[in-house]
Amino acid sequence: MQAARVLRDISDAGLMAGLAAGDASGLSVLHQRYAKMICSLILRLDPQGSLEQAEDLTQDVFLTVFETADRYREEGKLKSWLCGIAARKVRSARRRTWSRGNLMRSNRSIAPGHSTPYEAGPDQRLGARRQVEQALLSLSDSQREVFVLHTLEGLSGEEIAASLNIKTSAVWVRLHRARKTMTAALQESATGGGPR
Amino acid sequence: MTCSLRDSYLDETLVPEEGARFEQHLATCGACEAQLRAWEQAEAALQDWAEERVGRTWRSDESQRQAELILARHRERHGQRRRAVVSLALAAAASFFLALLLFGGDGPERGTWEAEILYREGSSSEISQDILSVLGSGRLVAQLGEDRVGLGDAATVRVLGREHGNVQLRLEQGSIGVEAAKRREDETLVVQAGDFAVRVVGTRFRVSRPADGGLVVAVDEGIVEVSTPGQRWWLERGTTLAVDASGTAATHQREEVDSQLDLLLSPAKQVLPATEPADVVPSSDVAPPLGVATPPEPAPPASDVEAAEPSPLPQAPALEAPTPVAPPQLDLAALRTQLAKGQAPEVVDALEGHLSEDPSSVSGWSLLATARRKAGDPAGAIEAHRQVIQRGSRSQAAKARYEAARLLQRRPGGHEEAVELFEALLEDPGALRGLQPEIRLHLSRSMRAVGRSSEADALLQELIATWPGTAAAEAARGELSTKPL
């Protein structure tokens, strides 16, 4: 147990260097540090996804981390790198779901048995949640990624650009459009024009 | 025109003058004011939603299980079976030995085990199927398959076994550098050396057996695990561990690469100096014994937090050095020694001179902070810590925040900034894991000083509940019980 205790004190960069050298012993520590953040991000990037799906994708993220650790560059924050991987996982999962024809994104409502990480709350709360989800779903995938990473995960424009491999200027453009769309969608739903 | 600043204002990317200009504009522009209010409402709804949309928390044993599942999936994908990591077996072995294990990546070519001599220098050397040896003064660099081994003065390496990518070497005496190729997961490179058990995962490291016993391991890439039965250290890149014949150990962080390792492995460079660099000579006066390495250390008083490179490992204080080696540039080890001898003003001068030319050395700034503090210049020390916060890694910055905050607490009007720095540390608990109780204790004192007493109390209660039995919790109890009602 002593080794594990010491391992927990190793920096992200040190653990990543170990993974890059083929030493998997740091993987569980990285998982412990970041799995909840990644799982939350996935739930927010895929507003109608279930907790079970998010957990599966979280595991996929860490598999990619292990297999591509040698591509990680220390100058970037690990969190940004992980967010980029998670965003790509969500996007590709959504593509798979689309291709199976299972995702009826527009006008889809949350069924009573819908699997979410939280218990169904009072109607009013559920309504507010649904409004936000619908507003988020009104964004394009690329807008939603930038929007969630900036507004909810607190990444800077530069970090988002690095994690999604896009230009910083593109981050700001997408963010502005997303913010406008979100504001309008939430206002509309609040005044009764939202989806039913 | 000012309306166009609205998005940048929301992004908090305006310079202060522009921000002030926009806020003046906001008072007179209904459209902007309405947009901002709409966004604030939207953001509040979004934050509420996000707070419910939180992923699950994995316990550490669940994370361990997840890691195993991930590795199983990886093996499945690559059609490989992986051997159990042998480190535990090594640690449990009756006799100590040094083991260097490497795995992962694509495997090297098989069957290319004839040692190819890349460079030879000095009196004479012995090369056979099983032994590489430098007799007397000299050097030898050999390629063993995909791995490179460099031998220094009077070094002898015996090849105990080799089968595909599995290699077992024994360092009989002297120093060797190893640059090991990436291997398949089920292949390892093992080096035994004397009476110590070390597991190394990485690609570039040096192992030396000093003539009077003991061991030195310097890591330039990857991670090294050093173990004796029941004890382990993990050495990150840039760390040197020295254990003397009595078992006394010291670790030291280097900013530079290990110069001896570089010399051992590079054919074109000069012969090694015969002596170990001063900064890795273990000293029984200052180094912690082997047995204290792995348990979490009690947090030191802030004034004693050494301003060396941060390390998850027990840090040895600056070590006395009989014959310091002078690297070409900033010799931090020598300066630490000088500082330990009480020559703080001289160290400040030397560091300020160097950092004005080359401000990129984070360790230099960190040492300057310590030196300035010892020289009676807390304001200068805080300034140097700010440089570390700005330039350093997450853990370097965290350490600097803590140090700077402690210094600020002792300065008139310093509590406001101290609160900010401590709060930043609370947001990143992983960075200074061992000081979490102390951070709360000190933060509570600064909070009280700036009139945030109820938050201070809450912090102390959290501290007592989370870290019962610590000195900080005891102090917190006292402060809670004595505070005026």
Side-chain angles (χ1 to χ4, degrees), chain B residues 199-438:
Chain B
R199 172 176 180 252
V200 180
V201 178
T203 55
R204 207 175 142 89
F205 49 85
R206 171 170 65 92
V207 185
S208 300
R209 297 189 62 184
D212 56 353
L215 180 78
V216 175
V217 179
V219 185
D220 268 9
E221 286 178 18
I223 299 178
V224 175
E225 184 189 309
V226 181
S227 61
T228 62
Q231 298 294 336
R232 280 187 213 180
W233 295 261
W234 284 80
L235 311 182
E236 285 187 278
R237 183 178 69 183
T239 308
T240 300
L241 170 78
V243 188
D244 70 12
S246 68
T248 304
T251 58
H252 170 69
Q253 288 293 119
R254 288 171 280 113
E255 188 168 71
E256 301 79 16
V257 296
D258 179 61
S259 55
Q260 289 206 61
L261 175 57
D262 200 27
L263 287 165
L264 277 167
L265 287 167
S266 304
K269 296 198 176 171
Q270 281 192 325
V271 184
L272 293 173
T275 53
E276 191 64 34
D279 58 357
V280 297
V281 176
S283 157
S284 56
D285 293 333
V286 293
L290 274 167
V292 302
T294 41
E297 291 187 297
S303 58
D304 294 338
V305 174
E306 183 55 51
E309 285 275 334
S311 167
L313 299 159
Q315 293 266 346
L319 302 171
E320 285 290 325
T323 51
V325 176
Q329 296 183 347
L330 189 58
D331 187 350
L332 290 171
L335 290 172
R336 283 195 187 102
T337 304
Q338 218 177 331
L339 193 58
K341 288 177 179 168
Q343 298 166 355
E346 290 81 357
V347 174
V348 169
D349 284 347
L351 284 167
E352 284 179 348
H354 181 90
L355 291 167
S356 65
E357 302 271 315
D358 173 16
S360 65
S361 168
V362 177
S363 295
W365 284 111
S366 190
L367 191 59
L368 177 60
T370 306
R372 281 178 172 167
R373 174 171 57 75
K374 290 190 174 178
D377 176 16
I382 291 166
E383 196 45 51
H385 283 311
R386 287 195 183 108
Q387 290 287 338
V388 179
I389 293 168
Q390 196 181 333
R391 299 167 185 276
S393 66
R394 170 185 171 222
S395 56
Q396 286 170 321
K399 202 168 193 172
R401 281 194 181 94
Y402 185 86
E403 285 284 274
R406 294 287 289 124
L407 287 169
L408 280 160
Q409 285 185 305
R410 294 168 212 150
R411 294 180 64 73
H415 283 293
E416 290 274 1
E417 196 182 342
V419 166
E420 278 178 34
L421 291 168
F422 282 131
E423 285 185 329
L425 290 171
L426 284 190
E427 285 170 17
D428 187 10
L432 271 188
R433 209 172 285 273
L435 286 174
Q436 291 301 307
E438 285 72 18

Side-chain angles (χ1 to χ4, degrees), chain A residues 179, chain B residues 4-14 18-20 22-23 26 36 40:
Chain A
R179 190 178 280 140
Chain B
S4 63
L5 296 177
R6 190 171 58 224
D7 278 333
S8 301
Y9 180 77
L10 284 170
D11 297 335
E12 296 176 7
T13 54
L14 292 180
E18 286 177 323
F22 181 76
E23 279 167 5
L26 203 54
L36 241 62
E40 278 167 9

